[in-house]
Amino acid sequence: MTGGRPPDAGIVTRRLYGDLPLVDADAAAARIADDATVLTSGFGSVGYPKLVPLALADSERDLSLTVVSSGNVGDEIDVALVKSGAIARRFSYQSSAVAREMTNRRDVAFSDRNVSSIGDDVQYGGMVDPDVAVVEAVAVGEDWFVPSTSLGQTPAFVEAADALVVELNRAQPLGLQALHDVYRPEAPPNRTPVPLTDPGERIGDSYVRFDPEKLVAVVETDRSDSTYTFREPTDDDLAIAANLGTFLADEMERSAVFDDDIHLQFGVGSLGNALMGELKDLDFGGRDVVYFGELIQDGLFDMLDAGRLECASATSLALTTEGQERLFADVERYAEDVVLRPADVSNNPGLIDQFGVVGVNSAIEFDIYGNVNSTHVGGGRMINGVGGSADFNRNSLVTVCALPSTLRGGDVSRVVPMAFHVDHTEHDVDVFVTEQGVADVRGRSPVERAELIVENCAHPDFRPALRSYLDDVRERDDHIPHDVRRAAEWFE
Amino acid sequence: MTGGRPPDAGIVTRRLYGDLPLVDADAAAARIADDATVLTSGFGSVGYPKLVPLALADSERDLSLTVVSSGNVGDEIDVALVKSGAIARRFSYQSSAVAREMTNRRDVAFSDRNVSSIGDDVQYGGMVDPDVAVVEAVAVGEDWFVPSTSLGQTPAFVEAADALVVELNRAQPLGLQALHDVYRPEAPPNRTPVPLTDPGERIGDSYVRFDPEKLVAVVETDRSDSTYTFREPTDDDLAIAANLGTFLADEMERSAVFDDDIHLQFGVGSLGNALMGELKDLDFGGRDVVYFGELIQDGLFDMLDAGRLECASATSLALTTEGQERLFADVERYAEDVVLRPADVSNNPGLIDQFGVVGVNSAIEFDIYGNVNSTHVGGGRMINGVGGSADFNRNSLVTVCALPSTLRGGDVSRVVPMAFHVDHTEHDVDVFVTEQGVADVRGRSPVERAELIVENCAHPDFRPALRSYLDDVRERDDHIPHDVRRAAEWFE
């Protein structure tokens, strides 16, 4: 068997094809230089390499790696490897407590880009000088591999890197191949448009091609993803879902755009998962409901199983362990309605625009004028990263920011006078939803936005203080009146 | 002559075709309800309607209009009409002192969206409920007109409005028809991509079609645009241009993306104009230099006339009076290399990405961590509007923010500890250029960005204070360390 195209008209039936450099993880890790720039697969906490990062973490070497992932990876990287001190520089999303801590102590130099652009940033944009891509696969040949549970920016990373290490994961089913639609946009500056005319269409291959000269190691494993865990929906989650449902019903009534179909996207997390799950009870009036987003979470499988969803397009199967079991048991059937794309397709600004997406994303907090902070607590302490929220908040036809009005058991308001870190500007978000209600700020001036947000979205416990702030600052002749010192007191 | 397609295979030779409702401006103004939502043509201070706004301003009526333009219009709207008190609500960019004053006093409810999205926001997004479009044309028939010196979101506005008033401007040459390429993207949520594969390609018509039922008035005029005036380049402008030239030369050397051609965009204003003009002396090493931007300013004509520019694509001819004379005297020749597009094509996120644009935009200020404020002085006082800067800052392959390090004769630093209004986030801008130097912050962590920005871009008079701020806040265990109260002192 040659290493060329997968056999049997593209159906892969075995794990290994051709003459491959099979080695153990330590030997593969040894191929990575001490100060290498390592690009990894992985997105939504799944589909990332596991053994090679662990081997690097366990080595006695004095490593100073730059590690680039396009999304969230697992504990093998963001706990073990980062804790070992091997990572000097990290892009672009992290989610473990230890990675967060080291980022905030600035022991790791962290930099955060929008998901849609990381592939180009790495390959063309001068962000890093890539050395080696380390990717997880369910099957591999001499110049191709089938990715596992996520795609992310893997195709761009493989193109950009000088060398390639593949982790062949036998715990991930071969059937995942049916989900992938690998299309890497052409090189700028004379790209043609991504030829996707429908969120469910397939325009690429089920595998990633690579220059066979690059393949330096293949490592076998059967280690599972360290998947997400979601909490059960809280009362607030359910109230937010109900308010969102009311808004969506009104919007479908208002706009002829949604007469035939509606294209939805939901952000990551327990709330997003709960919203996805609750929408299965919403009356879409016979419209085709389609998901064009970044992550597929368990809640979406509820909608699929209930026959409420035509199809789902994303870059990652960000499922819980139970969700993975459900998928793996029936992967061919799910593949009829589920497609995984590279992140520069799933999060493509042009496509999000074309498909008139209604994007629903959470955040840490938003201010009375509609600026949204997704990444930094108190202005400065990094939580995870911006991820793809800015791709959808900027380019969706209707942009919804949905979150509980408070955190820490009601002690802290998520509606604040002034956001001291802004990931999404006052020009981006159309609608704010909390468990308290909906503020549709489209066409509203900043002060009108503030009135709507305070009255409709803030928690009653914090409304008087927010009203008092607004009443006082509006004495000023400013378009967006503020009292910065007073606004800062909210964070003390 | 019917009102259908322009005669003679699309070449328009007369101003008026067919049976048109010719009236004077007062009669046209009378067709507009007191509380109407009026969508106007105009972008870059040219191509906007003139007589009807003046007639509205001079009327004794008690008007409470919502006025939507996709870009900068002239004094007839943003001085006369706004001063008359007729405008209750205004979108989305204004530039006169009086409009600014009334916006900051909040006598006018102003709201500011990104140029690329205003057409969709108006037509589909629920931003306003449009009544009438008032547009400037150089020729008009019963169901088409040829726009004048700008396109902006005119095609979307004409589609969205219930009624249409056309100002036929005989002072604008008929030859402008040769510049227009009118393509309105299809309706979401199942748009196909904009089929533009080259910045200079033509994919549309030289005229805008409309439903003939909508045309309620045609008004003739010969009033000129109230064009931009640019100051002569200052020493700082020239130093910024030189630093930008150095960066561009390095970037062309670094990246194979630019081996054959380079696609540039420059923001509006005297600095942008100066940068466009100065680039004619840069050695592009035989590469095709192409402009894919929003505005064509006088400086770009210098490059065209010098044979240094293959073609220029934009949505407005934002020229000075002298620039207009130069264009009007030779419009057919310029039309070989210049094309005007609707703003949802010129500023299309997908196209800016496809064409790998190097976008160069100015701002009011930026902070040490790379957040950029384009719109509000001191956090709250509106200057003009965000315009299309966010379209290019977010979607360009390489994003440059270029501006002098100080203003008010050196008394105020444009590099600040913390921007209290953010239009472009820390995730957006790649490179900062001032007359002091270049900070290429790609792949840098926030604190590394701060070091580069302070040392390379801040003015020497302000460097010690900025260094001191950074030295003190970096004692904190924060990813983006700040002292908000101290940062606020910079604005007192």
Side-chain angles (χ1 to χ4, degrees):
Chain A
M1 179 63 60
T2 73
R5 282 188 160 254
D8 303 323
I11 307 299
V12 173
T13 54
R14 290 186 291 128
R15 297 290 187 165
L16 299 167
Y17 288 82
D19 184 21
L20 300 172
L22 286 168
V23 296
D24 68 13
D26 289 334
R31 302 297 302 261
I32 296 173
D34 291 352
D35 60 352
T37 293
V38 181
L39 316 175
T40 82
S41 68
F43 202 105
S45 196
V46 297
Y48 58 91
K50 300 162 180 75
L51 291 200
V52 176
L54 286 177
L56 288 165
D58 292 342
S59 77
E60 301 293 309
R61 296 160 61 190
D62 185 18
L63 296 171
S64 178
L65 302 171
T66 293
V67 174
V68 184
S69 67
S70 57
N72 188 7
V73 293
D75 293 349
E76 294 84 348
I77 296 172
D78 267 344
V79 175
L81 189 57
V82 74
K83 212 175 197 170
S84 77
I87 301 184
R89 189 173 293 279
R90 179 85 174 87
F91 307 85
S92 181
Y93 190 98
Q94 38 82 17
S95 67
S96 74
V98 60
R100 189 177 298 144
E101 179 64 21
M102 292 184 74
T103 297
N104 283 316
R105 285 209 315 262
R106 303 192 303 277
D107 294 334
V108 174
F110 182 81
S111 182
D112 194 12
R113 299 286 287 184
N114 299 311
V115 160
S116 63
S117 70
I118 298 169
D120 281 1
D121 288 342
V122 164
Q123 189 166 5
Y124 310 114
M127 184 172 93
V128 290
D129 189 6
D131 294 308
V132 56
V134 184
V135 304
E136 181 170 276
V138 299
V140 57
E142 289 172 6
D143 63 359
W144 58 269
F145 66 88
V146 177
S148 64
T149 32
S150 66
L151 264 167
Q153 294 286 11
T154 296
F157 288 177
V158 169
E159 282 184 21
D162 297 329
L164 173 65
V165 173
V166 174
E167 284 199 14
L168 178 77
N169 192 331
R170 293 181 184 273
Q172 310 270 36
L174 263 180
L176 288 169
Q177 65 188 295
L179 300 175
H180 297 300
D181 186 52
V182 179
Y183 174 92
R184 167 80 176 127
E186 298 165 0
N190 294 299
R191 281 184 164 149
T192 53
V194 178
L196 196 67
T197 57
D198 180 277
E201 192 182 5
R202 282 161 194 263
I203 55 173
D205 300 313
S206 58
Y207 50 87
V208 176
R209 301 293 301 259
F210 58 82
D211 174 354
E213 300 283 309
K214 290 185 181 180
L215 186 64
V216 296
V218 174
V219 177
E220 293 186 81
T221 180
D222 59 0
R223 192 179 171 101
S224 298
D225 287 319
S226 49
T227 53
Y228 276 104
T229 51
F230 298 120
R231 54 170 164 70
E232 283 296 300
T234 62
D235 288 348
D236 276 356
D237 292 341
L238 298 176
I240 294 166
N243 287 336
L244 177 67
T246 302
F247 168 75
L248 289 176
D250 290 349
E251 185 68 7
M252 289 187 287
E253 178 72 24
R254 182 196 68 78
S255 172
V257 167
F258 308 114
D259 276 358
D260 298 322
D261 38 14
I262 185 163
H263 299 160
L264 298 169
Q265 174 266 340
F266 291 94
V268 67
S270 293
L271 174 61
N273 189 46
L275 294 178
M276 289 186 207
E278 290 305 311
L279 279 190
K280 74 176 184 299
D281 299 322
L282 186 67
D283 178 10
F284 285 100
R287 290 171 181 84
D288 285 351
V289 182
V290 169
Y291 183 80
F292 186 80
E294 170 182 315
L295 295 164
I296 293 174
Q297 297 185 255
D298 292 44
L300 218 54
F301 277 77
D302 296 341
M303 283 188 74
L304 275 173
D305 286 346
R308 304 300 312 277
L309 193 66
E310 286 296 304
C311 68
S313 164
T315 197
S316 165
L317 295 158
L319 303 168
T320 62
T321 301
E322 298 70 37
Q324 279 198 345
E325 284 166 6
R326 184 174 171 185
L327 168 72
F328 291 177
D330 218 357
V331 63
E332 275 81 11
R333 182 173 68 81
Y334 281 118
E336 292 171 18
D337 303 320
V338 174
V339 55
L340 289 185
R341 310 181 181 288
D344 45 17
V345 178
S346 67
N347 289 43
N348 188 282
L351 291 174
I352 296 167
D353 168 71
Q354 285 174 229
F355 295 148
V357 170
V358 178
V360 182
N361 289 277
S362 190
I364 293 170
E365 65 192 2
F366 55 93
D367 73 23
I368 57 173
Y369 297 118
N371 300 282
V372 178
N373 171 20
S374 297
T375 56
H376 287 79
V377 165
R381 286 189 71 77
M382 164 65 80
I383 301 296
N384 298 321
V386 70
S389 56
D391 298 324
F392 288 94
N393 279 341
R394 173 69 60 85
N395 297 294
S396 293
L397 181 62
V398 181
T399 297
V400 179
C401 179
L403 73 184
S405 69
T406 60
L407 49 76
R408 291 199 205 139
D411 286 348
V412 174
S413 177
R414 291 177 183 265
V415 181
V416 297
M418 188 174 199
F420 288 110
H421 189 273
V422 175
D423 297 289
H424 317 289
T425 74
E426 54 144 342
H427 317 297
D428 291 334
V429 178
D430 297 318
V431 181
F432 295 87
V433 178
T434 68
E435 83 289 350
Q436 297 298 317
V438 176
D440 182 346
V441 301
R442 292 177 290 184
R444 300 294 105 194
S445 72
V447 166
E448 290 171 335
R449 288 200 295 262
E451 290 164 352
L452 285 169
I453 286 172
V454 172
E455 299 307 322
N456 297 5
C457 291
H459 192 279
D461 290 351
F462 294 97
R463 257 181 231 159
L466 289 164
R467 274 187 203 129
S468 161
Y469 181 87
L470 181 59
D471 285 345
D472 290 348
V473 295
R474 66 196 297 166
E475 299 296 317
R476 303 174 181 214
D477 277 355
D478 278 349
H479 182 231
I480 304 184
H482 264 309
D483 178 339
V484 174
R485 284 160 183 272
R486 187 165 160 190
E489 288 168 12
W490 277 69
F491 298 96
E492 284 162 6
Chain B
M1 179 63 60
T2 73
R5 280 188 162 253
D8 303 322
I11 306 300
V12 173
T13 54
R14 290 186 292 126
R15 297 289 187 165
L16 299 167
Y17 288 82
D19 184 21
L20 300 172
L22 285 168
V23 296
D24 68 12
D26 288 335
R31 303 296 303 261
I32 297 172
D34 290 353
D35 61 351
T37 292
V38 181
L39 316 174
T40 82
S41 67
F43 202 105
S45 197
V46 297
Y48 58 90
K50 298 163 181 78
L51 291 200
V52 176
L54 285 178
L56 288 165
D58 291 342
S59 77
E60 300 293 308
R61 297 160 60 191
D62 185 17
L63 297 171
S64 178
L65 303 171
T66 293
V67 174
V68 184
S69 67
S70 58
N72 187 6
V73 292
D75 293 348
E76 292 85 348
I77 296 171
D78 267 345
V79 176
L81 190 58
V82 74
K83 211 176 197 170
S84 77
I87 302 184
R89 189 173 292 281
R90 179 83 176 85
F91 306 84
S92 181
Y93 190 97
Q94 38 82 15
S95 67
S96 75
V98 61
R100 189 177 299 143
E101 178 65 21
M102 292 184 72
T103 297
N104 284 315
R105 284 210 313 263
R106 303 191 303 277
D107 295 332
V108 173
F110 182 81
S111 182
D112 194 13
R113 299 286 287 184
N114 299 311
V115 161
S116 64
S117 70
I118 298 169
D120 281 1
D121 289 341
V122 164
Q123 189 166 6
Y124 310 113
M127 183 173 94
V128 290
D129 189 7
D131 294 306
V132 56
V134 183
V135 304
E136 181 171 276
V138 299
V140 57
E142 289 172 5
D143 63 358
W144 58 269
F145 66 85
V146 177
S148 63
T149 32
S150 68
L151 263 167
Q153 294 285 11
T154 296
F157 288 177
V158 169
E159 281 185 22
D162 297 328
L164 173 64
V165 172
V166 175
E167 284 199 14
L168 178 77
N169 193 332
R170 294 181 184 272
Q172 309 271 34
L174 264 179
L176 288 168
Q177 66 188 294
L179 300 174
H180 298 300
D181 187 52
V182 179
Y183 174 92
R184 167 80 176 127
E186 296 164 2
N190 294 298
R191 281 184 164 148
T192 53
V194 178
L196 195 69
T197 58
D198 180 278
E201 193 182 5
R202 280 160 196 264
I203 56 173
D205 300 313
S206 57
Y207 50 87
V208 177
R209 301 294 298 260
F210 57 83
D211 174 354
E213 301 283 310
K214 290 185 180 178
L215 186 63
V216 296
V218 175
V219 177
E220 294 186 81
T221 179
D222 59 359
R223 191 180 171 97
S224 299
D225 287 319
S226 50
T227 53
Y228 276 104
T229 50
F230 297 120
R231 56 170 164 67
E232 284 295 301
T234 63
D235 287 349
D236 276 357
D237 292 341
L238 298 176
I240 293 166
N243 288 335
L244 177 67
T246 301
F247 168 75
L248 288 176
D250 290 349
E251 186 67 9
M252 289 187 287
E253 179 72 24
R254 182 195 69 77
S255 172
V257 168
F258 307 114
D259 276 358
D260 298 322
D261 38 15
I262 184 163
H263 299 159
L264 298 169
Q265 174 267 338
F266 290 93
V268 65
S270 294
L271 175 61
N273 190 47
L275 294 177
M276 289 186 204
E278 290 305 310
L279 279 188
K280 72 177 187 298
D281 300 322
L282 186 68
D283 179 10
F284 283 101
R287 291 170 181 82
D288 284 350
V289 182
V290 169
Y291 183 81
F292 187 79
E294 170 182 315
L295 296 165
I296 293 174
Q297 298 185 254
D298 292 44
L300 218 54
F301 277 77
D302 296 341
M303 283 188 74
L304 275 173
D305 286 346
R308 303 299 312 276
L309 194 65
E310 286 295 304
C311 67
S313 165
T315 198
S316 165
L317 295 158
L319 302 169
T320 62
T321 301
E322 298 70 39
Q324 279 199 344
E325 284 167 5
R326 185 172 170 184
L327 168 72
F328 291 179
D330 218 358
V331 63
E332 275 81 10
R333 181 172 68 81
Y334 281 118
E336 291 172 17
D337 303 321
V338 173
V339 55
L340 288 185
R341 310 182 181 287
D344 45 17
V345 177
S346 66
N347 288 45
N348 189 281
L351 291 174
I352 296 168
D353 168 71
Q354 284 174 230
F355 295 147
V357 170
V358 179
V360 182
N361 289 277
S362 190
I364 293 171
E365 64 193 4
F366 54 93
D367 73 24
I368 57 174
Y369 296 117
N371 299 283
V372 178
N373 170 20
S374 297
T375 57
H376 287 78
V377 166
R381 288 189 70 76
M382 162 66 79
I383 300 297
N384 299 320
V386 71
S389 56
D391 298 323
F392 289 93
N393 279 341
R394 173 68 60 85
N395 297 294
S396 293
L397 182 62
V398 180
T399 297
V400 179
C401 179
L403 73 183
S405 69
T406 61
L407 49 74
R408 291 198 205 142
D411 285 348
V412 175
S413 177
R414 290 177 183 265
V415 182
V416 297
M418 186 175 202
F420 287 108
H421 189 274
V422 175
D423 298 288
H424 318 287
T425 75
E426 54 143 342
H427 316 297
D428 291 333
V429 178
D430 297 318
V431 181
F432 294 87
V433 177
T434 68
E435 83 288 351
Q436 298 297 319
V438 175
D440 182 345
V441 301
R442 292 177 290 186
R444 299 295 104 194
S445 72
V447 166
E448 291 171 335
R449 288 200 293 264
E451 291 164 352
L452 284 169
I453 285 171
V454 171
E455 299 308 323
N456 296 4
C457 290
H459 192 279
D461 290 351
F462 294 97
R463 255 180 232 160
L466 290 164
R467 273 186 205 133
S468 161
Y469 180 87
L470 182 59
D471 286 344
D472 290 347
V473 294
R474 67 194 298 165
E475 299 297 316
R476 303 172 181 215
D477 276 355
D478 278 350
H479 182 231
I480 304 185
H482 264 307
D483 178 338
V484 174
R485 285 159 184 272
R486 186 166 161 189
E489 289 168 12
W490 277 69
F491 297 97
E492 285 162 6

